[in-house]
Amino acid sequence: IASLGMIACKQDKPEEKVAGIVLENMDTSVKPTDDFFKHVNGTWIEKIEIPDDQTSWGGFNQLRKKTDADVLTILNKAIEERDFPKVKDAQGKEIDSDQEKAVNYYESIMDTVTRNKQGKDPVKPFLAKIDELKTKKDIEDYITNMAPYGGGGFYGFGVFNDLKNSSINAGYMFPGGLGLSRDYYVDDKVKDKLVKYQEFVGKMFQEFGDDAETAKKKAATIVAFEASLAEPMMTKEESRDTRKMYNPMSIAELQEMVPSINWGAHLKGIGVKDLDRVIVTDIGYFKALGTIFKTRSVEDIKLLLRWNTINNSLG
């Protein structure tokens, strides 16, 4: 009876309402029919200052800053207490918990003394593996084996919610990354940035043992190769249309579209079994990739894999 009475009291109390828009940020002197954006955000734009360590600022930036601070607090507490759960794998072997992995990852990043002492040594075994590649099949195997390390380049696989049915997950095939975003390779307005990038690539090859002339030639090959991969990619405007990124097909259909890569072997190699279909996010890129992968020499592909490895290690 007491519980019922308490519920009745809560129902009688007016419900507190929270505004969905921060009213203090609005500029009501501007009519919404004249400039709706300024009407909603005008005062905020006038009073806000972009932090010195940021190139832009907004609501999502503020949220990210708060989230980063919250995560740092959690990590520091976990480091201090080191009271990690005991976890076992399917075979009963004790493994690190997610909490312990997060702490180990964070501590390894913060340990700049050890990183500086190691220098380029951690990258060298991966470069040695690339040097050993002899055939296109070797290259495919390498890309498959590199999946647990973040991928080797050219293409990758991931699992996310199905864009047309959020109640299920789906496998996605997506393009590998480039040194720069697509526009730098195809837009003449920013070609000067591409020149600077090519110089940077050459300097990095010199850091890893090439003489100046050899490094310069390799850098030119890298930029031309990346440009051939960038051109058929979706534009940034197209990539904002999720309908264009939703291209489900069977593995057999993917194999028919890109016959120069053994997709069944790749998926099996990364532990994906009994997959009925895969969603290809960029049809134009994968069609072009098939031709590029077939016609490019093993040495050119190895060179780009080498650059991907060096470039990814610089962060």
Side-chain angles (χ1 to χ4, degrees), residues 47-217:
K47 68 181 182 181
I48 200 67
E49 289 187 13
I50 300 176
D52 292 337
D53 61 342
Q54 301 290 324
T55 57
S56 61
W57 198 245
F60 285 110
N61 302 86
Q62 291 174 313
L63 182 61
R64 176 61 182 268
K65 184 177 181 179
K66 181 181 183 306
T67 301
D68 287 346
D70 292 342
V71 170
L72 185 59
T73 300
I74 293 169
L75 280 168
N76 285 332
K77 184 178 180 182
I79 290 169
E80 181 182 348
E81 296 178 350
R82 292 201 172 272
D83 183 22
F84 304 117
K86 303 297 182 184
V87 180
K88 295 183 179 180
D89 63 15
Q91 286 72 42
K93 180 182 177 182
E94 191 167 299
I95 58 175
D96 292 343
S97 66
D98 289 343
Q99 293 90 330
E100 190 167 2
K101 289 176 183 177
V103 167
N104 291 341
Y105 182 55
Y106 173 71
E107 288 184 325
S108 69
I109 291 174
M110 297 303 292
D111 187 1
T112 55
V113 174
T114 300
R115 287 217 315 273
N116 290 339
K117 185 177 179 181
Q118 291 175 334
K120 298 187 282 289
D121 288 346
V123 187
K124 291 178 180 177
F126 296 97
L127 298 178
K129 289 181 180 180
I130 295 171
D131 288 339
E132 294 170 359
L133 305 177
K134 304 296 182 185
T135 66
K136 297 284 179 72
K137 184 182 182 305
D138 290 341
I139 290 170
E140 290 185 55
D141 290 343
Y142 172 81
I143 294 173
T144 298
N145 294 333
M146 284 298 294
Y149 300 94
F154 292 103
Y155 52 85
F157 175 86
V159 178
F160 311 98
N161 287 347
D162 190 298
L163 288 173
K164 289 194 175 181
N165 184 358
S166 60
S167 66
I168 62 173
N169 288 327
Y172 289 80
M173 291 300 311
F174 49 84
L178 302 173
L180 300 173
S181 60
R182 179 184 182 274
D183 286 355
Y184 288 100
Y185 299 95
V186 299
D187 189 345
D188 288 333
K189 295 178 182 177
V190 290
K191 281 295 175 69
D192 59 319
K193 305 295 189 302
L194 195 61
V195 172
K196 295 294 184 183
Y197 171 65
Q198 185 167 315
E199 292 174 0
F200 168 72
V201 175
K203 288 179 181 178
M204 290 304 101
F205 276 122
Q206 283 184 264
E207 286 288 331
F208 279 83
D210 289 312
D211 61 70
E213 190 61 30
T214 301
K216 185 177 180 180
K217 290 179 180 178

Side-chain angles (χ1 to χ4, degrees), residues 267-279:
L267 292 170
K268 183 179 178 181
I270 62 175
V272 179
K273 301 176 182 178
D274 303 323
L275 191 65
D276 295 330
R277 63 168 192 162
V278 65
I279 298 172

Side-chain angles (χ1 to χ4, degrees), residues 257-271:
M257 184 174 76
V258 192
S260 54
I261 297 171
N262 189 334
W263 297 105
H266 176 68
L267 292 170
K268 183 179 178 181
I270 62 175

Side-chain angles (χ1 to χ4, degrees), residues 181-184 186-187 190 230 233-242 244-245 282:
S181 60
R182 179 184 182 274
D183 286 355
Y184 288 100
V186 299
D187 189 345
V190 290
M233 283 182 173
M234 297 171 71
T235 65
K236 59 178 179 289
E237 292 81 11
E238 289 173 329
S239 66
R240 292 174 188 142
D241 186 346
T242 53
K244 293 183 178 180
M245 299 178 67
D282 193 331

